[in-house]
Amino acid sequence: MGKVIWHGSTQLAPVPAVLVGTGGNGFANNLITVAWVGIVCSDPAMLSISVRPERFSYKALVETGEFTVNIPLASQAAVVDWCGVKSGRDVDKFAEQNLTAAVGSQIQAPLVMECPLNLECKVKEIIKLGSHDMFLAEIVAVQVSEDFLTKSGRLALERNGGILGYAHGHYFNLGKEVGHFGFSVRKKGKFKRPQKSAKA
Amino acid sequence: MGKVIWHGSTQLAPVPAVLVGTGGNGFANNLITVAWVGIVCSDPAMLSISVRPERFSYKALVETGEFTVNIPLASQAAVVDWCGVKSGRDVDKFAEQNLTAAVGSQIQAPLVMECPLNLECKVKEIIKLGSHDMFLAEIVAVQVSEDFLTKSGRLALERNGGILGYAHGHYFNLGKEVGHFGFSVRKKGKFKRPQKSAKA
């Protein structure tokens, strides 16, 4: 159980790898791949994305104050990677990847229709941190592909191979379900609960 | 490809589910499970965690200005869930779950030795957002279990069943690798690259 100590670095994992959509208000539709994204508040529902000021999307984010977070399937890993490597200065990412843009219900920034889950976000604050500026944003609406809803209305993101995760430069699909919130204190259930004083 | 529109909510996925360790400076060691966590800056390496002010760990976070982020294995899902359901007001989580605490190299907050990866964090700013306060923190050191390092020094988090992910109330392991950063523009490789204008 020995440990090796490294310098501080961005080793959190797994993280989402999402397509952030910008556009509207005079800006052409564009996509940037972002892994530095996380939920920061439940009520109001808020998330943060962090983007380097030298990235092409930065100006649209600042000037429109709007963006979408499009959550991809594992089968879309190559598209996600490509949108992170290429710049909107040089290519029309929607056209090149044959993605369908749709205007949001609350904002003008484009949704990626092929992603099962889309979050419409309005920027509340921009905080300069160093290499990246953090955009704190409220999630003002969510759009879900009908194909990923069960008859009872449950969001079934495990369909079609499941959603994409990212860990230290590698893309993964989500694997096997190993529990659900609260399962460790349920009397019965299909998942293995901890023994009292069980070794983790 | 129809969409259903929902109200804004915290639907980002997958997210990490980590054990945040607090203690030192007069505070007993404690753990809180946090999924509202994300990287916010590469240089300096920074992350955010968001915690409700009514949570028991909140005071220690504010007064010590230090915490650890301990990244669990999927096999530790029950421990992670349990530490999210129980309160440090009532139980000694390290003792009950038979976890080993170690003082950080740069901070006094406790590491969970059984987790393969531990991030030592110093709080830089606290921002009130609503239900949650966001703690912006610098990652000042990283500790890695020797068992998860290859002979060449690569971090091999796929070992022992891999790390834990969380999506909409369900815990998962990371599944199959489906690509690595930059694979979409490599000439050769084991992963499927996008066709020009391929449908995602």
Side-chain angles (χ1 to χ4, degrees):
Chain A
M1 210 161 56
K3 292 278 182 181
V4 173
I5 301 175
W6 291 348
H7 291 293
S9 59
T10 55
Q11 298 280 350
L12 183 69
V15 292
V18 300
L19 292 169
V20 168
T22 53
N25 300 297
F27 285 88
N29 287 343
N30 191 29
L31 294 167
I32 178 176
T33 300
V34 171
W36 294 171
V37 52
I39 296 291
V40 297
C41 191
S42 296
D43 185 18
M46 293 179 71
L47 55 72
S48 76
I49 62 168
S50 289
V51 175
R52 292 179 188 267
E54 57 268 33
R55 294 296 296 261
F56 182 66
S57 297
Y58 181 84
K59 194 170 181 237
L61 286 168
V62 171
E63 295 195 10
T64 68
E66 296 180 352
F67 61 90
T68 60
V69 168
N70 304 279
I71 295 172
L73 295 168
S75 62
Q76 295 169 320
V79 175
V80 171
D81 187 66
W82 191 89
C83 288
V85 172
K86 298 287 181 178
S87 172
R89 284 186 187 94
D90 309 316
V91 290
D92 177 341
K93 295 184 187 180
F94 277 95
E96 287 283 320
Q97 294 295 324
N98 206 13
L99 297 170
T100 312
V103 170
S105 67
Q106 305 280 326
I107 61 174
Q108 298 300 308
L111 272 67
V112 178
M113 291 295 279
E114 287 80 3
C115 288
L117 193 55
N118 318 89
L119 315 182
E120 302 183 25
C121 302
K122 285 191 184 175
V123 177
K124 294 294 167 186
E125 198 176 343
I126 305 171
I127 300 178
K128 291 193 172 297
L129 296 173
S131 61
H132 289 66
D133 284 10
M134 181 177 64
F135 293 78
L136 283 171
E138 187 172 343
I139 305 166
V140 293
V142 171
Q143 297 209 27
V144 186
S145 297
E146 286 172 347
D147 296 351
F148 289 83
L149 288 174
T150 65
K151 281 182 185 167
S152 66
R154 184 180 70 84
L155 183 58
L157 287 183
E158 69 279 9
R159 289 185 177 173
N160 293 14
I163 56 174
L164 183 72
Y166 189 63
H168 305 149
H170 298 262
Y171 302 98
F172 297 87
N173 64 10
L174 274 196
K176 195 167 60 96
E177 185 179 353
V178 295
H180 52 78
F181 181 76
F183 81 103
S184 65
V185 294
R186 294 261 180 105
K187 288 224 172 85
K188 286 184 176 178
K190 65 176 174 170
F191 299 108
K192 199 181 163 190
R193 291 174 301 288
Q195 309 284 311
K196 191 168 163 75
S197 298
K199 202 77 180 171
Chain B
M1 209 160 57
K3 295 276 181 181
V4 174
I5 301 175
W6 290 350
H7 290 294
S9 60
T10 56
Q11 299 279 352
L12 183 69
V15 293
V18 301
L19 293 168
V20 168
T22 54
N25 301 297
F27 285 87
N29 287 342
N30 190 30
L31 293 168
I32 179 176
T33 300
V34 171
W36 294 172
V37 52
I39 296 291
V40 296
C41 190
S42 296
D43 184 18
M46 293 180 71
L47 56 71
S48 78
I49 62 169
S50 288
V51 175
R52 290 178 189 268
E54 57 268 33
R55 294 295 296 259
F56 182 66
S57 297
Y58 181 85
K59 195 171 179 231
L61 285 169
V62 171
E63 294 195 12
T64 68
E66 294 180 354
F67 61 90
T68 60
V69 168
N70 303 278
I71 296 172
L73 296 168
S75 61
Q76 296 169 321
V79 175
V80 171
D81 187 65
W82 191 88
C83 288
V85 172
K86 299 287 182 178
S87 172
R89 284 187 186 95
D90 310 316
V91 291
D92 177 340
K93 295 185 187 180
F94 277 95
E96 287 283 321
Q97 293 295 325
N98 206 14
L99 298 170
T100 312
V103 171
S105 66
Q106 305 280 325
I107 61 173
Q108 299 299 306
L111 271 66
V112 178
M113 291 296 278
E114 288 80 2
C115 289
L117 192 55
N118 318 89
L119 315 183
E120 303 183 23
C121 303
K122 286 191 183 175
V123 176
K124 295 294 168 187
E125 197 174 343
I126 305 170
I127 300 178
K128 291 192 173 298
L129 296 174
S131 61
H132 289 68
D133 284 9
M134 180 178 66
F135 294 78
L136 283 171
E138 188 172 341
I139 305 165
V140 295
V142 172
Q143 297 210 28
V144 186
S145 296
E146 287 171 347
D147 296 350
F148 288 83
L149 288 175
T150 65
K151 281 181 184 168
S152 65
R154 183 179 71 85
L155 182 58
L157 287 182
E158 69 279 9
R159 287 185 179 173
N160 293 13
I163 56 174
L164 183 71
Y166 189 63
H168 305 149
H170 298 263
Y171 302 99
F172 296 86
N173 64 10
L174 274 195
K176 197 167 60 94
E177 186 180 353
V178 295
H180 53 76
F181 181 77
F183 83 101
S184 65
V185 293
R186 293 258 182 107
K187 287 227 174 85
K188 286 184 177 179
K190 65 177 173 170
F191 299 108
K192 196 181 166 191
R193 291 175 302 290
Q195 310 284 311
K196 190 168 166 71
S197 297
K199 202 79 183 170

